[in-house]
Amino acid sequence: MRSLMTFFNRMNIMVWLVGIFVAHAALYLVLGTVTWLATSLLATAFYGIILLVGKLIASRYPDKEESR
């Protein structure tokens, strides 16, 4: 569990959100979804909230390497 929290603490959320947006946009374009942009933005916003909550929870765990 500590390694997951360390991962969340060190992750760059902006890079992840751009990657999630590109992946969803490509998926919805390939599927032929008419509202691909809005759908991609909604999916990215949802995952952004999940990542931010995960980072908030992870910030409460002390980093094992920093405490040494």
Side-chain angles (χ1 to χ4, degrees), residues 11-68:
M11 74 186 298
N12 186 347
I13 291 188
M14 185 58 81
V15 172
W16 276 87
L17 289 178
V18 168
I20 288 170
F21 175 76
V22 168
H24 277 96
L27 171 70
Y28 294 128
L29 279 170
V30 169
L31 290 175
T33 306
V34 177
T35 57
W36 64 271
L37 181 61
T39 309
S40 299
L41 288 172
L42 284 172
T44 304
F46 174 75
Y47 283 110
I49 291 169
I50 298 294
L51 289 174
L52 288 174
V53 168
K55 194 157 178 91
L56 177 67
I57 292 170
S59 69
R60 298 184 183 272
Y61 281 79
D63 193 4
K64 198 172 190 177
E65 292 177 5
E66 290 179 1
S67 63
R68 288 182 183 180

